[in-house]
Structures are given as C-alpha cells and as structure tokens.
Amino acid sequence: MPPITIMAVNCNEIARRLKHEGIRAGEIIAYRAWRVIDPSWCDDDRLHSVAMRDYVWHPDKPASGDVRVHGIYSFRDVIRSKQEYGYDPGVDGPLLLGKVKIWGEIVEHEAGYRSEFGKIASLDYGDPELLEKFRKIYGVNQAPEQSVVRTSFFT
C-alpha cells in the first residue's frame, strides 16, 4: 500500500480560495477586546489590538483589514474577561471588552468572525476608570442628552 500524504493548509490559504457567495448582509454586532497601553510607558489615548500589537483603533475611522490575510477578528458570544478572550493572559496592559460593529467582507469561523471593517460600538467590561476615559474618546456608551421639556399652562 502506498504511503498516505497529508497536506496542511493554513486558514489564510483557505480564505484566499473561498468563492464569494454574493450574500450581502447589514452590519453584525460581535464581541472583542482591546488593549490599553500603560500610561506610564507613553501618553497614548487610543485602544490597540490584542493580537496585532501595533494596530491602533482610531475613534474617527473604522478599523480595516484584508480578510484573506488578517481582518478584524471578533467573537459571536459575549466576552467578559481575559480568560474568555482566549489570548495570552500575560498581555501587557489591561484589556477593555465590548461590542464591535462589523461589515464588508466577512468570513465566519467556529467562534466568531473575521471582517473587512469594524467600529467600536460599546465598551462594557474592564477597569471602571479606563472604561470612562475610553468611552468619551470613542463616543460610545454615552447617555443621550436630556432634552428639556418645557410646558406652559394657560388658565
């Protein structure tokens, strides 16, 4: 019997070969974490990707990536801790966890998605002071302005 040859193909190679099915959907809400650079190291008021250490999430433009290479990773289920996120707990600096709106070309994985675009929708878990700071910077989880209701009574 001839030997069996098994060839391993990485996930990026599989994604490059995928045929687009032509299905279009609106944005999807998914979950992820962002890394906060320790302010004692530098004055950085931006959130960073956990896995792609140099990737910065800007408040005024969507995050983006080529889904055939990396893309914007997110999870289907809510994440509340470093342990649930599944990355090395030795990550430098604290993590903030929350929701992300994803759109564009999207590859679905067993635990979540890899999308072409993403924008922070909310910051829900993490250090309370950091949550407050970054919610203001990214304009998320803000209470709507209370509209003043004026009434007049005529007699």
Side-chain angles (χ1 to χ4, degrees), residues 30-99:
Y31 306 91
R32 64 167 291 131
W34 294 271
R35 187 168 51 92
V36 177
I37 301 293
D38 187 332
S40 65
W41 297 347
C42 65
D43 188 21
D44 189 355
D45 286 340
R46 299 293 180 257
L47 294 173
H48 296 257
S49 173
V50 177
M52 302 295 293
R53 300 188 62 77
D54 294 333
Y55 193 87
V56 177
W57 285 67
H58 298 284
D60 54 347
K61 65 181 184 178
S64 63
D66 181 349
V67 297
R68 289 175 174 79
V69 180
H70 292 292
I72 306 303
Y73 284 85
S74 56
F75 292 91
R76 185 175 292 118
D77 298 319
V78 175
I79 303 155
R80 295 180 187 95
S81 68
K82 286 183 181 183
Q83 293 75 20
E84 286 181 20
Y85 197 62
Y87 282 99
D88 180 9
V91 169
D92 297 335
L95 296 183
L96 295 182
L97 302 109
K99 296 182 192 90

Side-chain angles (χ1 to χ4, degrees), residues 9-25:
V9 180
N10 71 31
C11 293
N12 290 336
E13 185 60 34
I14 292 170
R16 280 189 205 95
R17 294 183 197 170
L18 288 177
K19 177 182 169 245
H20 191 288
E21 295 296 328
I23 298 170
R24 297 276 179 204

